[in-house]
Amino acid sequence: MKGQALLDHYRQRGKAEGHMGELMDVLSPALSSTNRAKTHLRGKKPKSVTPPIDAFACNEVRLLVAMLAYQIMHVARRAMARATKAPWSLRRLRERVLRAGARLIISARRMTLILAATAAPYWAAIWPQIQMLRGADP
C-alpha cells in the first residue's frame, strides 16, 4: 500500500474507533456473559437450576439497540448543531437536552409535556429541525 493510501486508511479507522468509543462512553451497553448452571452449591445439589441462556444472542440484541440509540442521538446532535450553529457532543446533548426534567399531563383529549425551564430553549431550537426530518404525512 502506498503511503498516502495507508494514512487515509488509518484515519478512517481512527474515526470509526472514535465513534465506537463515543458509543461506549455515552450509552455504555451492558454486555454480559453466559450464566452457567450450577451442579453443586456448597457441596449440595441446588433445589432449582437456572436454564442457560444464549449470551451471544442477548449481547447482539443489546448492542443493536445501543447502536440504534446512538444513530438517533447522532441525528439529534446534528440537528442541534444546525439549530444553534455550534458543535455538540453526545454527552452534552444527553446531559442538557435528553435528561431534562419534565411532567406529562394527560387529559381526556390531549397529552401535554411540560419541560424544565433549563431545557426548553434547547427543545425550541431542535424541534423545527426534527419536524423537517419527519417527511410527508401518510
Side-chain angles (χ1 to χ4, degrees):
M1 202 181 258
K2 292 188 177 185
Q4 187 62 36
L6 183 65
L7 184 62
D8 291 341
H9 173 73
Y10 276 109
R11 283 184 178 154
Q12 289 174 353
R13 180 179 173 204
K15 186 175 180 181
E17 287 176 356
H19 287 299
M20 190 64 174
E22 192 176 42
L23 164 78
M24 298 304 279
D25 179 47
V26 174
L27 297 175
S28 62
L31 303 179
S32 65
S33 60
T34 184
N35 61 339
R36 292 181 289 254
K38 296 187 188 292
T39 57
H40 288 83
L41 179 65
R42 297 182 184 161
K44 298 179 183 176
K45 287 191 176 187
K47 294 178 183 174
S48 64
V49 178
T50 305
I53 60 168
D54 185 3
F56 184 80
C58 290
N59 286 340
E60 184 179 17
V61 169
R62 286 184 183 110
L63 197 56
L64 287 172
V65 168
M67 295 290 259
L68 180 62
Y70 175 79
Q71 286 295 96
I72 292 169
M73 286 179 69
H74 182 67
V75 168
R77 168 180 52 184
R78 292 189 58 185
M80 186 59 103
R82 277 194 309 270
T84 61
K85 308 283 191 271
W88 280 72
S89 69
L90 284 184
R91 179 178 293 281
R92 182 177 173 206
L93 178 79
R94 183 186 71 183
E95 296 296 327
R96 295 200 181 160
V97 180
L98 300 178
R99 281 193 173 175
R103 195 170 80 196
L104 182 65
I105 299 174
I106 301 172
S107 63
R109 294 188 182 175
R110 76 175 64 166
M111 292 190 306
T112 306
L113 182 67
I114 301 172
L115 290 169
T118 56
Y122 296 126
W123 278 100
I126 196 174
W127 194 251
Q129 298 289 327
I130 293 172
Q131 289 290 353
M132 289 189 328
L133 295 173
R134 189 177 70 180
D137 289 330

